[in-house]
Amino acid sequence: MKITLGAVSKPYTSLKMKTGDWGTHWPKVDEELCTGCGTCEMFCPDMCIEVVKVGEENGKEIKKAKVNYDYCKGCGICAEVCPTKAIKMELKDIYKVI
Ligand code: SF4
Ligand code: SF4
């Protein structure tokens, strides 16, 4: 059977496609409210929000959610699922009417 290339994409090419300017909104994380629970990371369809260590307190790691804006499409799922409402979707400046 002949296999044609057709629309088959090459592996790892999605990293070259920066999709961060597709959306109209940015997710903004309020670090005071973020508990580092990882729910947003689990639900993000683009794997562009990650809980990372930002420090230590009494020998315990402090973790917060960080968004990779190069790939975030602004879908808002992270804001919907966050149990502490630490993420707010903000309209990007270029879409604000003066
Ligand atoms: S779901 Fe909310 S509280 Fe949990 S890591 Fe993400 S931003 Fe922080
Ligand atoms: S807005 Fe959507 S794509 Fe962007 S970090 Fe949140 S869940 Fe992921």
Side-chain angles (χ1 to χ4, degrees), residues 28-31 33-43 49-52 63-67 77-88:
K28 298 287 179 185
V29 180
D30 182 337
E31 293 206 346
L33 294 174
C34 176
T35 60
C37 69
T39 307
C40 54
E41 183 181 81
M42 190 165 53
F43 280 90
I49 187 163
E50 189 181 4
V51 174
V52 297
K63 292 181 169 183
K64 303 289 173 188
K66 299 281 178 200
V67 181
I77 290 173
C78 54
E80 284 295 319
V81 298
C82 175
T84 64
K85 302 289 174 219
I87 303 175
K88 298 274 179 287

Side-chain angles (χ1 to χ4, degrees), residues 27 44-46 48-49 67 72-78 89:
C44 175
D46 287 297
C48 58
I49 187 163
V67 181
C72 168
K73 296 192 185 98
C75 68
I77 290 173
C78 54
M89 298 303 295

Side-chain angles (χ1 to χ4, degrees), residues 6-98:
V8 177
S9 62
K10 292 178 183 169
Y12 300 109
T13 52
S14 60
L15 284 175
K16 292 180 188 159
M17 175 72 85
K18 296 197 172 172
T19 52
D21 58 357
W22 286 14
T24 55
H25 290 70
W26 306 106
K28 298 287 179 185
V29 180
D30 182 337
E31 293 206 346
E32 292 294 313
L33 294 174
C34 176
T35 60
C37 69
T39 307
C40 54
E41 183 181 81
M42 190 165 53
F43 280 90
C44 175
D46 287 297
M47 297 174 73
C48 58
I49 187 163
E50 189 181 4
V51 174
V52 297
K53 181 182 170 185
V54 294
E56 257 185 56
E57 202 173 271
N58 302 325
K60 200 176 164 199
E61 286 186 347
I62 299 170
K63 292 181 169 183
K64 303 289 173 188
K66 299 281 178 200
V67 181
N68 184 338
Y69 292 108
D70 280 347
Y71 300 101
C72 168
K73 296 192 185 98
C75 68
I77 290 173
C78 54
E80 284 295 319
V81 298
C82 175
T84 64
K85 302 289 174 219
I87 303 175
K88 298 274 179 287
M89 298 303 295
E90 287 182 8
L91 189 65
K92 293 178 182 176
D93 284 347
I94 63 165
Y95 295 106
K96 288 180 184 165
V97 178
I98 300 169

